[in-house]
Amino acid sequence: MSGDSEEAPPEVHHYNDRSEVPWDIQNYWAQRYKLFSKYDEGIWLTDDAWFGVTPEPVAKFVVLPVECGFGIAFAYNLHSKIAEHIAKSAPKGRSILVDAFAGAGGNTIAFALSGRWKRVYAIEKDPAVLQCAKHNAKVYGVENKITWFEGDCFEIIKNQLKDLAPYSVLFGSPPWGGPGYRSDEVFNLRTMEPYSLRKLYDEYSAFTEHMVLYLPRTSDLRQLAKVVKDDRKATVMHYCMEGASKALCIYYGDFNME
């Protein structure tokens, strides 16, 4: 555990041995160092949060795009850190990063470590998971670069962050409805729970036209393209670990993907 005296709430754990871990998350615990390289330094997670953590190599690295004829790009070669790539590809006037689903802090920490953003604003609805994220940010030494919000991301973006819209890029790694998504040959984004792609796009595009959504690798590309308005751009990027696609991101807006 880390050296501070901070006390974890009862639903938050730092497991040290497989025998302590509930059976349904033992596979995730076995990959703990891929999720957080500093796991042994005292990373906190709720049992549910294990399912939603973006692996740190995926949070750090993004593959470069290859242009396709219908305006959406695919990506295959692992190349640069995801946080750095979003920072470099976003318009220069965008100096704020809003992480709409902070979870236990994996992506939020990667953005804060990039050094690109004047401020990272992170939103999490579950108070116990938010406490994990704050603690984990301390483990990585970036707690002072992040402003945290507890509550519904749509309401917070619409009300508390509305004045930051002209300066913001929004990143969203929403819930995908649990691990059952893995069995879908083509993942239906219309029925994704608890928020469909249309819900996410409509809410976030009212805040900013520059958004990045992290979604299952089998997401229906036709659905991703259909929500894009005629005068806007979209680029799909596949995220890879150990030679295999693990998830994808869609970049909506005027990102410089060269």
Side-chain angles (χ1 to χ4, degrees):
M1 295 293 289
S2 59
D4 59 40
S5 58
E6 187 178 2
E7 183 176 349
E11 62 268 52
V12 170
H13 307 283
H14 176 89
Y15 296 116
N16 292 295
D17 187 85
R18 183 183 176 90
S19 63
E20 304 171 357
V21 183
W23 68 270
D24 57 339
I25 60 172
Q26 286 184 358
N27 286 340
Y28 293 87
W29 184 81
Q31 301 179 60
R32 60 196 179 280
Y33 300 117
K34 291 182 180 179
L35 301 178
F36 289 98
S37 60
K38 294 190 176 185
Y39 180 84
D40 287 344
E41 294 183 33
I43 291 296
W44 286 2
L45 292 165
T46 65
D47 287 351
D48 287 342
W50 284 93
F51 297 108
V53 178
T54 301
E56 194 170 290
V58 173
K60 286 183 176 179
F61 296 100
V62 67
V63 286
L64 292 180
V66 178
E67 292 297 335
C68 294
F70 57 93
I72 294 182
F74 296 84
Y76 299 97
N77 299 315
L78 195 65
H79 182 71
S80 61
K81 295 180 181 179
I82 180 173
E84 292 175 359
H85 188 262
I86 291 177
K88 290 177 181 177
S89 62
K92 291 183 179 179
R94 301 280 165 160
S95 58
I96 300 295
L97 192 290
V98 178
D99 188 348
F101 297 96
N107 289 307
T108 305
I109 291 167
F111 292 128
L113 286 169
S114 76
R116 159 64 167 78
W117 310 100
K118 288 184 178 179
R119 198 72 185 166
V120 176
Y121 291 84
I123 306 168
E124 173 54 43
K125 180 182 287 187
D126 186 314
V129 176
L130 179 59
Q131 192 165 344
C132 291
K134 291 179 177 180
H135 172 85
N136 295 340
K138 290 181 181 179
V139 172
Y140 281 83
V142 293
E143 69 272 21
N144 294 329
K145 299 180 180 180
I146 304 166
T147 298
W148 305 95
F149 290 90
E150 179 184 327
D152 179 86
C153 65
F154 306 118
E155 292 301 316
I156 290 171
I157 289 168
K158 189 183 302 181
N159 298 310
Q160 292 163 269
L161 299 181
K162 61 182 179 180
D163 292 340
L164 299 177
Y167 317 105
S168 297
V169 170
L170 186 143
F171 177 84
S173 179
W176 298 343
Y181 73 87
R182 294 176 174 175
S183 62
D184 294 338
E185 185 174 345
V186 178
F187 185 75
N188 190 343
L189 296 162
R190 293 194 185 102
T191 58
M192 184 168 63
E193 295 181 354
Y195 312 113
S196 68
L197 173 65
R198 173 57 68 181
K199 167 72 171 176
L200 295 168
Y201 183 84
D202 287 350
E203 292 281 350
Y204 294 156
S205 61
F207 173 73
T208 178
E209 63 182 26
H210 295 94
M211 72 183 85
V212 182
L213 299 179
Y214 184 89
L215 299 166
R217 62 182 174 82
T218 56
S219 294
D220 191 322
L221 297 179
R222 293 168 299 179
Q223 293 175 355
L224 289 170
K226 193 170 183 178
V227 300
V228 184
K229 296 179 180 179
D230 292 339
D231 59 343
R232 296 193 178 183
K233 294 170 60 178
T235 302
V236 169
M237 314 282 286
H238 273 277
Y239 286 67
C240 299
M241 283 179 61
E242 299 173 352
S245 176
K246 297 298 183 182
L248 64 78
C249 272
I250 182 160
Y251 288 67
Y252 289 114
D254 191 21
F255 289 87
N256 179 11
M257 310 307 286
E258 294 181 1

